[in-house]
Amino acid sequence: MKHNYDGESPMIQLVSFNSLLKYYDGLVDSPNKYLAERAKYVLEAQAPFPELREGFSDLSLLEKHKEVIKIILEDTFAPVLTQNEIKAASTPFENLVFNSSERFQNILKEAGQDFNLEISNIPSEFNYIMRCTVVLKFHYGFNLDFKRPFFYDIPDANGVMHRYRILYNADFMEVIPTEKARELTQDDVDELLDNFENPDIWKEKIPPNSFILKGFVISNMFDVTAEHSISEIKSTLIGRAQRGKDNFMDSFEDTFRSLFKLSDIRVGFAGYDAGANNFFRIYGKGMESYILNGKELESCDAMLCEHSHCKLFNEGKYFAISNVEKYFNKVEGNVQPYKNLMEQGIKSAILAPIAVNGNLLGVLELVSGKVNELNSVNANKLDDVMPYLISAVLRTIEEEENLIDAVIQHECTSVHPSVYWKFQEEAKRFMADELAGNQPVFHEIVFKDVYPLYGQIDIKDSSRERNFSIQKDLMIQLSEINEILEVAINKYGLLVYEELMFRVETYLDEVKEALYTHTEQAVFDFVKEQVNPVFQHLKKEDGEIAALLEKYEEKIDPSTESYYDHRKNYDESVMEANMQLAALLDKKQEKAQEMFPHYFERYKTDGVEHNMYIGASIVKDRTFDALYLRNLRLWQLQVMCEMENKYYALKSKLPVKLDVASLILVHSSALAIRFRMDEKRFDVDGTYNARYEVIKKRIDKAFIKGTNERLTQKGKLSIVYSQRKDEREYLRYIRFLKAKGYFTDNIEIVELEGLQGVTGLKAIRAEILYKKDKKSEQTYTYDDLMQELRS
């Protein structure tokens, strides 16, 4: 039971009973005859063993003289209180107990032979300094407050951890200087006060072995398990970082076990959704719900009996079940929560409402595998912890709402980190205005003199491909409907079935010829309103047709209520391509922001588009130079090529093998952008600048002047511009990237047809070089790549 301390110490420690024996020396001549006789008896017992006064470091003498020591300490360990007091005499610091009350001995016996008695909260690195503070107080007279509550953590026979607070009585200690002791001034003490973390300075002022610590200490201990458990629950619930740890629920359950002094307790939680009147599972490391018994969601009315529902909801009180099996048998196993609890081997339980102002937020579940362990009496122990639990739940809800807001802002609005500072400044001004009692107005956010960059990688002929997939699905569905109707006509010969089949064939011919905008909805309405009622009738009337209808219905997608196969392949191909391309662009953007902060947004359509704005007004604490604009343009050009490569590496794995075409729009002059509060996004500001937006929206549909050839082509990157200087700049970039293996020599300059009053636009079309995979050094043009992938 010894706590070893093998490091340096400012004191040589001797066990001695001199201070206590001096007390008895003074009682020998006491007028109280009993006290005088008692003092003589103690002193005579000690007299043959002078080492008990002089002090000794040989701890084996404690065992040798244990009977005499027991006599010396008898008055301090009153026999009448030995079953009640938790008390021990020990060496200071090292905790070698050599005399103790019977209750303390029983506590250690229950803990087991392998248990080592150690103070649970003394950091070993402060051992030297802690001893120095004793010297400073008892010898030098400087009272440094290093007092902290000290504790023993000792398990009982059931393994439940109990915490005992230690109160030391150091009246029987003497501090004696050796020749190594130094004189200390107030300046020395001031230096120590400033250097708690520096043991070398403490060793300089109070050297090792410069004092003798002579005597012993008496420890009085008190069981503070309940108070500590409440404190631990409070700390656990308050600390968000703790709640995220893998062992959170294990330690949380251990704390409840200590609070209830029961080793078999398990803890669960169920959330409550008032709107839907449902209990739901709370997701967290190790979290369970015993009333839900593995289900994700369940109606509250189905989970509680009338009595438990009344307790939790109407009265807001704990619902204790001391004998689950008894009530399970009473209701013949058909009523909750007894059914679910019995299935899990739970014999007693407490359900505690987590509620605010009468509104239930969830339920704390304490369960045990033993009958009567949890009951309406010990349920009252929860009174001290429920306020912290409610506070934690409210904070978790608030944190989740904040997180949801953050996700919404990240995913659904365009308040990019590069411009967030401007919104913060405006929000602070808004709040200051409000506090001053004014009518605050959130001013519009405007960034002037910024240069725009726009790019897109778009799926070629996406409308045609989508229509083609819809057309195929409709034709398959109508054909299958025809087959079922044909069976019905052959069996029953009803004209109404023939008339319905005629209309199905009419729609089938219409869909085969061409898919018009209205056709899909018309077919959907026809099937829903005319075909499905007939099918429901046939399903009831005819077993053979019912079997055919089941196969037909298996192919109908529940979300679209129609045949959804080719469209699903198309949608999944577009979704996967968009996801991969957007992820690549986002990752590359992180590096681009490090070069120079700029506003960036990207959005998914039939492809991925992005806008960037760079300029002095966007940054708060950096100087803008045209160099950064040129750098961003070059970066954009390179990333567009990398996105093309990314897509064609993915193409062969997609259900529908679509092609893409890329485009960059160059705008040479600066403009202003304004945050549109209603749309929650940035847009160009001013009539003149609106020309840029017009071009941006229509440029991918542009034709080469005097031809029917579209500007955007698969395998080529189109760069649209209007100024000769932009042409020279981008041709320079292309030459550089060609040398790096991004482009071929196939580069052309074309003029574009006018776009709604916008004329004079030109474009560079540069053929992209592709790599088959990341490791491959070989490059391909688009045609080469397609041939290679097909081979």
Side-chain angles (χ1 to χ4, degrees), residues 250-495:
D250 290 338
S251 61
F252 199 50
E253 285 181 333
D254 283 343
T255 309
F256 271 97
R257 286 165 190 155
S258 294
L259 177 64
F260 280 80
K261 297 181 180 174
L262 300 169
S263 60
D264 191 43
I265 287 179
R266 285 169 287 161
V267 181
F269 293 95
Y272 176 66
D273 180 353
N277 193 30
N278 285 334
F279 284 127
F280 61 88
R281 182 184 169 193
I282 295 172
Y283 289 95
K285 293 186 174 87
M287 282 194 184
E288 297 289 343
S289 171
Y290 298 100
I291 59 172
L292 284 171
N293 192 16
K295 291 186 178 179
E296 302 291 313
L297 192 76
E298 191 61 74
S299 164
C300 173
D301 295 336
M303 283 292 95
L304 298 174
C305 64
E306 188 177 341
H307 183 51
S308 58
H309 190 282
C310 182
K311 277 276 189 184
L312 294 173
F313 282 83
N314 301 351
E315 299 177 30
K317 293 180 179 177
Y318 312 128
F319 177 63
I321 314 167
S322 56
N323 189 332
V324 172
E325 190 172 0
K326 174 184 168 184
Y327 287 95
F328 176 80
N329 293 331
K330 195 173 180 181
V331 297
E332 298 179 350
N334 295 320
V335 177
Q336 297 289 15
Y338 314 108
K339 185 173 181 288
N340 277 350
L341 296 176
M342 272 295 289
E343 284 177 5
Q344 298 166 87
I346 293 164
K347 299 296 175 64
S348 60
I350 297 170
L351 305 180
I354 303 168
V356 177
N357 300 325
N359 298 316
L360 192 72
L361 303 175
V363 174
L364 168 69
E365 310 161 359
L366 299 183
V367 301
S368 168
K370 294 178 182 175
V371 174
N372 292 331
E373 270 210 338
L374 295 168
N375 50 68
S376 62
V377 176
N378 60 12
N380 291 284
K381 286 176 176 276
L382 292 172
D383 285 342
D384 295 318
V385 301
M386 289 310 288
Y388 307 122
L389 193 62
I390 290 164
S391 175
V393 169
L394 285 173
R395 192 172 56 256
T396 301
I397 291 169
E398 186 180 337
E399 286 171 1
E400 186 174 337
E401 286 173 351
N402 290 340
L403 185 61
I404 289 166
D405 287 343
V407 170
I408 290 170
Q409 180 180 307
H410 181 263
E411 296 296 328
C412 307
T413 72
S414 300
V415 183
H416 189 261
S418 62
V419 295
Y420 198 65
W421 63 271
K422 189 79 170 177
F423 286 83
Q424 284 180 313
E425 283 187 354
E426 183 56 28
K428 286 175 186 175
R429 188 205 58 75
F430 180 92
M431 289 188 291
D433 223 15
E434 191 173 37
L435 286 170
N438 303 324
Q439 286 287 339
V441 177
F442 200 94
H443 297 153
E444 286 191 310
I445 307 292
V446 179
F447 293 99
K448 295 181 179 178
D449 297 322
V450 295
Y451 294 90
L453 294 91
Y454 170 77
Q456 69 170 48
I457 180 164
D458 200 32
I459 290 169
K460 286 287 290 174
D461 304 319
S462 57
S463 298
R464 189 186 71 189
E465 291 288 348
R466 186 186 290 105
N467 285 345
F468 187 52
S469 67
I470 294 169
Q471 196 175 14
K472 284 195 278 189
D473 280 344
L474 290 177
M475 287 167 64
I476 292 168
Q477 185 174 3
L478 290 168
S479 297
E480 295 208 0
I481 290 169
N482 247 355
E483 288 174 11
I484 294 167
L485 287 173
E486 194 170 353
V487 173
I489 291 166
N490 290 336
K491 287 189 82 169
Y492 299 106
L494 294 180
L495 284 172

Side-chain angles (χ1 to χ4, degrees), residues 11-20 22 90-94 98 134 138 168-176 212-218:
M11 51 187 68
I12 300 162
Q13 201 162 295
L14 300 177
V15 179
S16 166
F17 300 95
N18 187 50
S19 291
L20 180 57
K22 279 182 182 178
S90 65
T91 58
F93 305 119
E94 277 82 8
F98 51 80
V134 173
F138 286 97
Y168 284 112
N169 181 340
D171 290 349
F172 309 115
M173 298 293 304
E174 299 173 80
V175 177
I176 305 162
I212 294 169
L213 185 66
K214 185 176 168 184
F216 69 99
V217 292
I218 292 177

Side-chain angles (χ1 to χ4, degrees), residues 663 695 699 702-706 709-711 719-721 750-755 758-763:
L663 176 144
I695 299 170
I699 193 63
F703 290 91
I704 306 298
K705 195 170 185 178
E709 183 187 343
R710 287 276 286 271
L711 164 66
I719 303 153
V720 178
Y721 59 93
V750 295
E751 284 188 53
L752 306 184
E753 290 284 4
L755 293 169
V758 180
T759 57
L761 292 177
K762 297 175 76 175

